[in-house]
Amino acid sequence: MINILIKPTKENLKNFVTIGGFLVFISFIDVLANTFLNLNFTGFLPSKLSFFAPLIIGTIGLYLIRIEYSGNKLLDKINTNFNSNNFNAILSLIVIFALIKYIPPVLNWFFFDANFAGNTKEDCTGSGACWVFVKVWFNRFVYGMYPDTEQWRINSAFIMLFGLVGASFFVPTKLKKYLLIFLIFVYPVIGLKLISGGEFGLKYVETGAWGGLSLTFIVSAFALILCFPVGMFLALGRRSSLPAIRYTSIGFIELWRGVPLITVLFMSAVMFPMFLPDGTYVDKLIRVLIAITLFEAAYMAEVIRGGLQALPKGQYEAAKSLGMGYWRMHFLIILPQALKLVIPGIANTFLALVKDTPLIFVVGLLELAGMVNLAKTNPKWLGMAMEGYVFAGLVFWVICYAMSRYSQNLEKKLSTERN
Amino acid sequence: MSKIIELKNVNKWFDKFQALKDVNLEVNTQEKIVICGPSGSGKSTLIRCINRLEEHQEGQIIVDGKEISENTKDIEKIRAEVGMVFQQFNLFPHLSILDNCTLAPIWVKKLPKKQAEEIAMKNLERVQIADQAKKFPGQLSGGQQQRSALARALCMEPKIMLFDEPTSALDPEMIKEVLDSMVDLAKAGMTMIVVTHEMGFAKEVADNMIFMDEGRIVEKAKTKDFFDNPKSNRTKLFLSQIL
């Protein structure tokens, strides 16, 4: 017989591995049976001890098979990756057991017990998610209150956008410049006119009816494109040698950074019209866009300033010594390098911006999360909050993950340190 | 020989610290001057005042007939005519060597791209790194980077070249390749002011030597006189330590 209290050794490898492996195996069987068959082998123990029994048995098992340089490749791999000491062994077991216990219920809720067919709440008989809710409301989640017959206008605006962006990757470099100018200066006007209508025989659709995912895209895209140059000039302004410009920039940045976005949006909706002369009217959506843009620009300015400060002084001196003035120095030498340095920070701000868009509900604009909020209070669909928010969360995650991946690619592409 | 740079009673302070004290200097076209002296003696400050990377508070600096003052447009014009090579190379790391060389000619001198590239290739050949034109600064050795920086300055076709300790940041074996390029440039008749500790280079190239200490020009002499019989004791001490 071997003494369990002694340290496992290579000489008794076979015995230790047999006993240890058996204990680990039992602990796994216990957890699996508990999860899938609802059996509790250790039920005779006090409930707390019973709950931790597999963990204790498994840890003892792992202790017994922790033999260094055993010569067995599989055993060595397990020992180095999951079982390098007692603490790691317990952590490994907890993680694995938790995955076994909690993944199946989530999958069940999502797929196996979920309802996909049907058109009303009553069709949802299973215990899982009621995806019928999302299916029925999908149109509204994407287009908001935009009239059904006019939705082709939103579609064509977005198809045009994706077409242009896609084309800009393939056209020769000479044409790229013009395509970009068109995309930034001409397209937004065309796109907005197409969606809002009122001219060229298109029916006018007021911005209050816009909503859903398409509004998320519209607000995010405009704010992203606009807040970038504003932030850039604020960053340069804060480092300017002219006191008037410097203090204006500092004041502006600190003011917007110190105020919650929800307050800013509320002010833009309620207070701002009071300052306008009688009879002038600025659309709610435009006011909101300006508010979000200025708010995010203040953050962007600080991110970009971080990049400006990271550049060595020699870069400024070299540019100056070649006869470049302030603007040429900044646009040709300083900003290209500074912006490259802070791509992660810029991506961060952009992601935060996209996820801030749901706040526009305070002025009555309902983008994706706002539409979900509205749909779940519909008397016919009460109790569907979970499905709705999970759906909205997934959509936001997909958008943000795509942006994050793009920023990582950009970092790699722009890296010139190819030693 | 005509005067191209003239400094009259130049004084400069960094806050309380006086970096330059009553500096007077005249440089003729095609003249080569080497400035030496202990660290902190104001030699770098002196040449950085000539293209106003540092501001002087008193006195006059006249470069190619134009006085350096607050007027930024004038300063930009002067800088375009005065090339500078730095201790830390200061190449633009986000641009290829060729783009480093063509950027200022295209955007400051408004040359067409084709012509700027021809000039760049000519100058890169002159410093013998034409084959590296497509690479980025981070891919080159220190010596190659410093020669690229020299080529970049030459692409503006300057009348004057300033060198601020161009070999101090280099490995010993790379110093020679940079000095060789500078000797070639001197032989081609460029007006040069060089801050350096390379006394061999000074003996070979310089017309006049300047020794600075504590912000003053202590001694200015013909190169041969400077090394053979320095007048001031401070110069003698300095030379005895570095030769």
Side-chain angles (χ1 to χ4, degrees), chain B residues 51-238:
Chain B
N51 66 354
R52 208 178 172 81
L53 287 180
E54 304 287 357
E55 282 177 38
H56 60 287
Q57 280 89 23
E58 274 176 23
Q60 277 184 308
I61 299 178
I62 299 160
V63 179
D64 199 23
K66 289 184 273 287
E67 185 178 349
I68 293 185
S69 63
E70 296 291 329
N71 186 329
T72 44
K73 277 279 157 279
D74 274 358
I75 292 171
E76 279 165 31
K77 259 184 217 144
I78 290 170
R79 282 174 180 162
E81 288 176 11
V82 180
M84 184 149 187
V85 175
F86 299 86
Q87 182 177 357
Q88 299 293 343
F89 330 141
N90 293 346
L91 288 168
F92 306 132
H94 62 302
L95 298 173
S96 70
I97 297 300
L98 185 62
D99 289 338
N100 263 280
C101 291
T102 57
L103 193 71
I106 290 173
W107 290 91
V108 178
K109 284 179 99 180
K110 311 283 181 202
L111 293 185
K113 191 167 183 234
K114 195 130 193 227
Q115 197 187 339
E117 275 174 5
E118 278 166 19
I119 295 173
M121 288 314 293
K122 196 185 77 196
N123 281 308
L124 287 172
E125 259 157 48
R126 197 168 165 183
V127 296
Q128 298 174 2
I129 42 170
D131 50 331
Q132 315 281 356
K134 291 274 180 275
K135 286 193 183 165
F136 285 89
Q139 297 166 304
L140 302 188
S141 73
Q144 288 170 325
Q145 288 193 47
Q146 190 60 300
R147 283 184 285 152
S148 313
L150 176 56
R152 178 179 70 179
L154 291 177
C155 285
M156 289 296 283
E157 303 186 319
K159 292 182 181 161
I160 304 159
M161 282 294 297
L162 308 174
F163 294 84
D164 189 359
E165 306 202 18
T167 55
S168 301
L170 294 174
D171 288 344
E173 54 183 3
M174 290 169 182
I175 292 177
K176 189 175 175 298
E177 60 186 56
V178 173
L179 291 181
D180 285 348
S181 296
M182 287 166 64
V183 171
D184 286 346
L185 185 65
K187 282 181 183 151
M190 177 65 73
T191 311
M192 289 162 73
I193 303 181
V194 185
V195 173
T196 187
H197 299 297
E198 298 293 330
M199 288 302 130
F201 168 81
K203 281 177 186 164
E204 184 180 351
V205 166
D207 299 316
N208 284 302
M209 293 292 298
I210 288 177
F211 175 72
M212 287 187 75
D213 190 30
E214 294 182 344
R216 282 180 209 284
I217 293 184
V218 176
E219 185 156 359
K220 181 183 175 191
K222 293 265 174 236
T223 308
K224 196 164 179 320
D225 296 342
F226 182 84
F227 285 107
D228 292 349
N229 44 15
K231 291 193 186 67
S232 106
N233 288 333
R234 184 68 187 89
T235 317
K236 281 178 199 158
L237 181 68
F238 179 76

Side-chain angles (χ1 to χ4, degrees), chain A residues 296-322:
Chain A
E296 299 293 345
Y299 284 90
M300 188 59 78
E302 288 298 279
V303 170
I304 294 175
R305 193 169 67 92
L308 292 175
Q309 276 177 342
L311 283 195
K313 214 170 128 221
Q315 292 292 312
Y316 292 86
E317 287 177 354
K320 280 184 195 162
S321 78
L322 289 167

Side-chain angles (χ1 to χ4, degrees), chain A residues 185-264:
Chain A
F185 295 105
V186 185
Y187 172 77
V189 181
I190 298 179
L192 276 188
K193 266 275 157 279
L194 192 62
I195 297 176
S196 73
E199 278 170 67
F200 311 112
L202 293 170
K203 206 177 104 196
Y204 175 69
V205 183
E206 58 153 359
T207 51
W210 303 14
L213 189 58
S214 54
L215 186 62
T216 307
F217 276 127
I218 292 169
V219 173
S220 311
F222 270 90
L224 287 189
I225 292 171
L226 294 174
C227 83
F228 189 68
V230 177
M232 207 159 75
F233 283 112
L234 282 174
L236 292 179
R238 192 163 186 171
R239 287 166 60 85
S240 167
S241 54
L242 307 171
I245 294 179
R246 186 166 67 243
Y247 289 117
T248 315
S249 304
I250 292 176
F252 186 93
I253 291 170
E254 296 304 337
L255 173 74
W256 289 92
R257 281 206 308 174
V259 183
L261 180 57
I262 204 157
T263 333
V264 174

Side-chain angles (χ1 to χ4, degrees), chain A residues 26 29-31 33-34 37 39-45 50:
Chain A
I26 286 193
I29 289 289
D30 185 48
V31 173
N34 203 329
L37 307 172
L39 290 173
N40 193 356
F41 297 134
T42 51
F44 57 89
L45 293 167
S50 155

Side-chain angles (χ1 to χ4, degrees), chain A residues 272-292:
Chain A
F272 182 65
M274 291 183 199
F275 299 120
L276 290 177
D278 284 341
T280 43
Y281 173 74
V282 180
D283 190 274
K284 191 158 68 176
L285 182 62
I286 292 183
R287 277 179 281 154
V288 161
L289 274 178
I290 293 173
I292 295 185

